[in-house]
Amino acid sequence: LGSRRYSTTLLLSTLLLVSFINMAGAVSKMMDKLFASCSGDPKGSVHRAWGLTLLFVLGYFIFSIFEMININRAKETGSKALVLASIHSGIVHLILAVLGTFVLKRFPTSFSVGFFLGTLIIVANQNLILFGVFHQYQQGTIGTNLAFANLSLVLFLILGFFSLLLLHFRQDVVVAAVDTSKESSPTKDVEARSEAML
């Protein structure tokens, strides 16, 4: 009975893995079609998309300051937690702008691009949560709260799209580290070790 249960579990796991691999192939084909217009200049497309994303991120930072002031005006009914959430999200977006520009322009290794992708996904999900929280918030100016919530939703969509673009073209963005020193090369190191052994 135990080995039968084990073989059934193994069979189901194998079928799940095969279906996941087939699904990954379908997703890859779909992303190829989605970003077909960018495939001529993938690195340039990623950089232009990041420039456009930066405009929204910096606008979000500025608007988060206005939202903080708006909630602070309602001294007795305003939530201090939401004041902290609005300014914290603005600072996180400012850090994201600096981090993303540094990674894409100066240090595009596979680790840093992967780290940046993870950060993008986390911040995008944070924006979706902020949309849900500020959309229903009634203290302060309701119009400002709704504008901040809607901007959070728009930024969620923009960061999500940019994450897909960067994920699709990550191999074109990543630059391998090159050793430019003339003193150290693999053949010279091997020759030096073999001479030392003699």
Side-chain angles (χ1 to χ4, degrees):
L1 184 66
S3 65
R4 190 172 174 195
R5 211 179 271 165
Y6 174 74
S7 62
T8 305
T9 306
L10 184 63
L11 178 64
L12 288 175
S13 300
T14 305
L15 288 174
L16 184 65
L17 180 63
V18 168
S19 65
F20 179 73
I21 290 171
N22 289 337
M23 188 176 71
V27 168
S28 177
K29 289 178 185 176
M30 184 180 68
M31 286 181 54
D32 285 340
K33 289 180 183 177
L34 180 65
F35 299 120
S37 63
C38 301
S39 62
D41 182 20
K43 191 172 184 177
S45 296
V46 168
H47 285 251
R48 285 187 293 277
W50 179 244
L52 184 62
T53 303
L54 273 178
L55 293 176
F56 282 94
V57 167
L58 293 177
Y60 188 86
F61 171 71
I62 293 168
F63 203 80
S64 70
I65 294 171
F66 288 128
E67 181 64 15
M68 178 196 65
I69 294 168
N70 173 41
I71 296 172
N72 256 348
R73 279 193 201 145
K75 294 209 184 271
E76 295 169 12
T77 59
S79 169
K80 297 297 179 197
L82 290 182
V83 169
L84 181 65
S86 66
I87 198 63
H88 175 265
S89 66
I91 292 170
V92 165
H93 282 81
L94 188 64
I95 292 170
L96 178 73
V98 172
L99 173 74
T101 304
F102 180 73
V103 165
L104 292 176
K105 298 286 184 180
R106 293 282 190 183
F107 197 62
T109 64
S110 60
F111 177 77
S112 63
V113 169
F115 180 81
F116 179 52
L117 268 170
T119 306
L120 278 171
I121 292 168
I122 290 169
V123 173
N125 285 317
Q126 173 190 324
N127 286 334
L128 187 59
I129 292 168
L130 287 171
F131 166 72
V133 169
F134 280 93
H135 196 270
Q136 297 297 321
Y137 191 60
Q138 300 296 319
Q139 279 73 28
T141 308
I142 295 173
T144 307
N145 294 339
L146 287 176
F148 186 72
N150 291 333
L151 185 58
S152 295
L153 180 64
V154 167
L155 208 52
F156 163 74
L157 296 172
I158 289 172
L159 291 177
F161 181 79
F162 181 75
S163 297
L164 286 176
L165 181 71
L166 185 59
L167 178 68
H168 186 68
F169 292 122
R170 69 186 178 278
Q171 298 301 327
D172 299 308
V173 173
V174 170
V175 177
V178 177
D179 186 16
T180 58
S181 65
K182 293 184 180 180
E183 300 86 34
S184 175
S185 72
T187 55
K188 288 184 180 182
D189 290 342
V190 170
E191 290 172 359
R193 282 191 219 130
S194 61
E195 287 179 8
M197 290 179 159
L198 294 177

